[in-house]
Amino acid sequence: MEHGTTITQFISEEQRRSAGATGEFTALLNDIVTACKMISNQVNHGALVGALGSAGSENVQGETQKKLDVLSNEIFIQCNEWAGHLAAMASEEMDDVYQIPSEYPRGKYLITFDPLDGSSNIDVNVSVGTIFSILRCPGGAEQPGVRDFLQAGTQQVAAGYALYGPSTMLVLTTGNGVNGFTLDQNIGEFIITHPSMSIPADTREFAINASNMRFWESPVKRYVDECLAGKEGPRGEDFNMRWIASMVAEVHRILTRGGVFLYPLDSKMKDKGQGGKLRLLYEANPMSFIVEQAGGGSITGAERIMDLQPESLHQRVPVILGSRNEVERIQRYHTE
Ligand SMILES: O=P(O)(O)OC[C@H]1O[C@](O)(COP(=O)(O)O)[C@@H](O)[C@@H]1O
Ligand SMILES: [Mg+2]
Ligand SMILES: [Mg+2]
C-alpha cells in the first residue's frame, strides 16, 4: 500500500477486491473511524473539557464508570446508529443489546465494543483506547437478541482498536493481515504508517499484573517464575517485564516489538464465580483476531480463544496472547 494512503482509501481498496461488496461494510468502517476521531478529541482535551473523573454510576460489571466511559459510549452509538449498516450493538457500558432506534434503517451487521479501554488510566494521562468487533447479524433478525451476538471469534468479519496515546492510532484487520494508521491531526485523517504488522514469534518480554501472583494457577506461576529466574534459570535468558494496565497499549506494544500479555484466571476470580477479568466479545475476541492475523497466538490457557462458544454478552475469560512460541509454551504448561 502506498505511503500516505488514507484509511478511507485503504478500506475502499480492500472492499473493491472482495467479491459482492456493496459498500455497506466500507461505510460502516468509516463511521467507526469517525467515532474514534471524536473520542480521541475528548481524550486529548481531558480536564479542559471536564472529561476526567467518575461519572458516579456503575456498569453491568459492577465497575464505577468514568465520565469518558459514558461519553465514549454515547459517541460510538451516535456515529453508528443512523446510517443503516447495523442491526444492533453491544457495549461494555450497556447491560443489554442496544437496538437501532426505529427512525433509522437497519443493516446486516452487529458490533460489539469497549468504548474506553484502560479506564483506570484516564485520570493519570496514560494511553487508553477503544476496541471493536464486527459480526454478521444472523439472517433477518428483526430485533436481534443476545443469542445473535454469541458467535465464536472465528465468525468475526473485522476487528480493530484505536489507541489514544502520544499519537492517536487505529489498527485494523478484515482477515487479510493487520494494518496500522496514524491520525494526522492537521488534516483529521488516519494515514497508513504501519502496513502488514507482524508479531515476532519469540520474545523476552512479558506483561502481567504481578500483584495477583499469590492467586495464580501453577502453569502461570511456573511460566513467570522461569522468566524471573532469567539466565540462571531453566530459560537461560533474562526477561523484561511491562504492565501498563491498558490492554490496548499492551497489545499495540506486542504488535510493534513482540511480547506476551497475560491476564489469567486466578483463585480470587474463581471465588467470585468469574471466568476471568477481560470480556470475551469486546476485548478478547477482537484482540485475538488481530493478534492471530499478525502471526501471534491467543489462548485462555489450554484453549484457543477464537474457538470459544460465547455464553453471555459480558462473559469474562482468561487471556494469554502474543508471540507464538511463548504462547505455545504457556499452553503446553497448561496441558502437560
Ligand atoms: O487493574 P488491572 O488489574 O491492572 O487491570 C488492567 C486491565 O483492565 C482493563 O483496564 C479492563 O478494561 P476496561 O478499562 O475497559 O474496563 C484492561 O484494559 C487492562 O488490561
Ligand atoms: Mg477494556
Ligand atoms: Mg472499557
Side-chain angles (χ1 to χ4, degrees):
M1 190 57 64
E2 267 166 63
H3 185 69
T5 299
T6 69
I7 196 166
T8 313
Q9 290 166 316
F10 177 86
I11 296 169
S12 314
E13 181 55 37
E14 272 228 327
Q15 290 311 298
R16 251 198 298 277
R17 283 203 300 268
S18 67
T22 61
E24 199 177 340
F25 183 68
T26 305
L28 170 58
L29 280 175
N30 284 324
D31 291 344
I32 293 170
V33 166
T34 304
C36 293
K37 288 179 190 171
M38 291 172 73
I39 296 170
S40 170
N41 185 44
Q42 291 295 322
V43 171
N44 289 347
H45 285 81
L48 291 171
V49 291
L52 303 187
S54 165
S57 50
E58 267 195 9
N59 65 18
V60 65
Q61 345 259 335
E63 293 162 344
T64 304
Q65 292 177 308
K66 298 280 186 175
K67 284 184 189 161
L68 267 170
D69 285 323
V70 176
L71 189 56
S72 307
N73 193 61
E74 283 160 9
I75 289 172
F76 214 88
I77 289 176
Q78 277 155 21
C79 287
N80 288 290
E81 67 178 346
W82 63 275
H85 314 307
L86 288 175
M89 305 185 215
S91 158
E92 177 192 1
E93 303 306 336
M94 298 186 294
D95 300 11
D96 298 316
V97 169
Y98 179 83
Q99 299 295 341
I100 302 298
S102 53
E103 68 262 35
Y104 299 129
R106 279 168 194 278
K108 60 182 180 190
Y109 295 107
L110 300 174
I111 194 166
T112 65
F113 62 101
D114 177 353
L116 213 287
D117 179 65
S119 303
S120 67
N121 281 326
I122 294 169
D123 296 349
V124 293
N125 203 12
V126 170
S127 299
V128 293
T130 295
I131 309 172
F132 62 89
S133 164
I134 300 175
L135 300 162
R136 283 189 187 79
C137 184
E142 255 315 293
Q143 283 263 330
V146 170
R147 73 188 173 290
D148 298 303
F149 284 83
L150 303 184
Q151 301 180 37
T154 48
Q155 300 306 306
Q156 293 176 92
V157 179
Y161 63 78
L163 176 63
Y164 313 118
S167 64
T168 290
M169 290 192 66
L170 201 144
V171 171
L172 180 68
T173 186
T174 57
N176 310 307
V178 178
N179 293 281
F181 304 81
T182 303
L183 182 60
D184 182 333
Q185 307 276 7
N186 297 326
I187 61 171
E189 181 56 291
F190 282 100
I191 307 293
I192 193 155
T193 49
H194 297 63
S196 308
M197 299 180 88
S198 114
I199 302 174
D202 290 301
T203 181
R204 293 293 167 265
E205 193 167 64
F206 69 97
I208 192 167
N209 183 340
S211 70
N212 295 323
M213 184 181 286
R214 66 190 183 284
F215 306 114
W216 291 339
E217 298 184 325
S218 55
V220 169
K221 188 107 187 36
R222 174 186 172 189
Y223 175 74
V224 174
D225 283 349
E226 290 180 356
C227 294
L228 295 176
K231 271 204 185 72
E232 293 70 40
R235 300 297 305 273
E237 298 209 64
D238 289 342
F239 280 70
N240 196 4
M241 195 197 124
R242 287 284 182 272
W243 188 249
I244 304 172
S246 287
M247 184 190 195
V248 172
E250 316 272 10
V251 169
H252 192 71
R253 182 189 62 246
I254 289 170
L255 278 167
T256 309
R257 69 179 190 210
V260 60
F261 166 84
L262 305 94
Y263 214 119
L265 180 65
D266 66 33
S267 58
K268 194 173 56 176
M269 297 165 187
K270 275 185 167 172
D271 296 347
K272 283 193 281 182
Q274 273 180 4
K277 159 94 178 189
L278 301 168
R279 283 55 59 122
L280 179 57
L281 289 185
Y282 42 80
E283 289 171 323
N285 269 345
M287 290 308 206
S288 299
F289 191 17
I290 293 166
V291 164
E292 287 195 4
Q293 282 288 314
S298 184
I299 57 173
T300 60
E303 294 172 280
R304 179 190 179 214
I305 286 178
M306 293 256 280
D307 289 338
L308 294 178
Q309 174 48 49
E311 288 152 10
S312 64
L313 216 48
H314 302 287
Q315 176 183 350
R316 298 171 185 258
V317 292
V319 176
I320 296 166
L321 56 76
S323 294
R324 200 177 49 255
N325 293 343
E326 268 330 272
V327 171
E328 285 172 5
R329 172 185 289 270
I330 300 169
Q331 189 165 29
R332 275 199 311 279
Y333 287 6
H334 280 81
T335 50
E336 271 166 3

